[in-house]
Amino acid sequence: MNEHTLIIIKPDGLQRHLVGKILQYFEDANLNIDQCYIDTMTDDVLRAHYSQVVDKPFFPELKTYMQSGPCFFAIISGENAVARVRAIEGNTDPLKAERGTIRSDFGTSLNYNLVHGSDSVEHAKVEIARFFGPQPA
C-alpha cells in the first residue's frame, strides 16, 4: 500500500552535515522524497509534536536539543513507507540499532538520535499536516 510519512532530521544531523547521507538511505530503498524544507521548531510546534512528553522531566532537555538549530522536514512516500522508514532509521538507541540503519551508522546517543519518523499511518497524517499543512486526499 502506498503511504506517506514524515521524517525529521534533527539538529545534530544538520550540524554534522549528514542530511544527504541520511536521505540516501531512503532513496536507496526506492522511497520518494515528496516535499521538504529546513526550519527551526517554534515553541508551539515543538509542544504539539511532543505533547505526550511535555510534562516529563526530560522535556526541557529535549526542547533545548530540538531548538539547538534547524531541522530538515520531509514527506516520504512509497509502498509501506511508515514501517520501512522506521526500519531504515533503526532503534532509537543507536547502541541497539541494527547494523546498516541510520542510527546505527551515525547515531551517537539515545538523546541525540538524528531522525524522527512517524510511528503509524494515522500519526503520519497528523504530523504531515502539522509541518506541511493539510494535504490532498
Side-chain angles (χ1 to χ4, degrees):
M1 174 179 188
N2 194 51
E3 298 172 345
H4 293 84
T5 192
L6 175 82
I7 66 152
I8 301 172
I9 301 176
K10 298 176 183 181
D12 54 325
L14 279 78
Q15 292 160 0
R16 294 173 53 205
H17 305 284
L18 295 173
V19 173
K21 290 177 182 177
I22 290 170
L23 293 177
Q24 192 66 53
Y25 282 73
F26 303 118
E27 290 187 326
D28 287 349
N30 202 31
L31 291 164
N32 303 305
I33 301 164
D34 294 339
Q35 296 181 49
C36 61
Y37 70 94
I38 295 173
D39 201 0
T40 302
M41 278 202 207
T42 64
D43 283 346
D44 289 342
V45 170
L46 187 73
R47 286 183 165 282
H49 188 65
Y50 289 106
S51 62
Q52 73 280 9
V53 298
V54 168
D55 296 328
K56 302 287 185 189
F58 61 84
F59 182 74
E61 182 180 352
L62 174 63
K63 181 178 183 249
T64 298
Y65 162 53
M66 290 303 293
Q67 292 181 320
S68 66
C71 295
F72 180 94
F73 302 89
I75 299 173
I76 304 290
S77 67
E79 189 74 22
N80 299 312
V82 172
R84 291 175 58 210
V85 162
R86 290 185 63 82
I88 290 165
E89 291 174 335
N91 189 296
T92 304
D93 183 345
L95 297 176
K96 296 178 183 174
E98 185 176 329
R99 290 181 156 244
T101 63
I102 293 167
R103 290 179 176 136
S104 169
D105 292 352
F106 303 116
T108 58
S109 75
L110 179 61
N111 294 334
Y112 298 94
N113 58 30
L114 296 167
V115 290
H116 163 83
S118 302
D119 64 3
S120 68
V121 172
E122 295 76 25
H123 284 156
K125 289 177 183 174
V126 170
E127 292 178 350
I128 288 168
R130 178 178 296 128
F131 294 103
F132 287 88
Q135 300 294 300

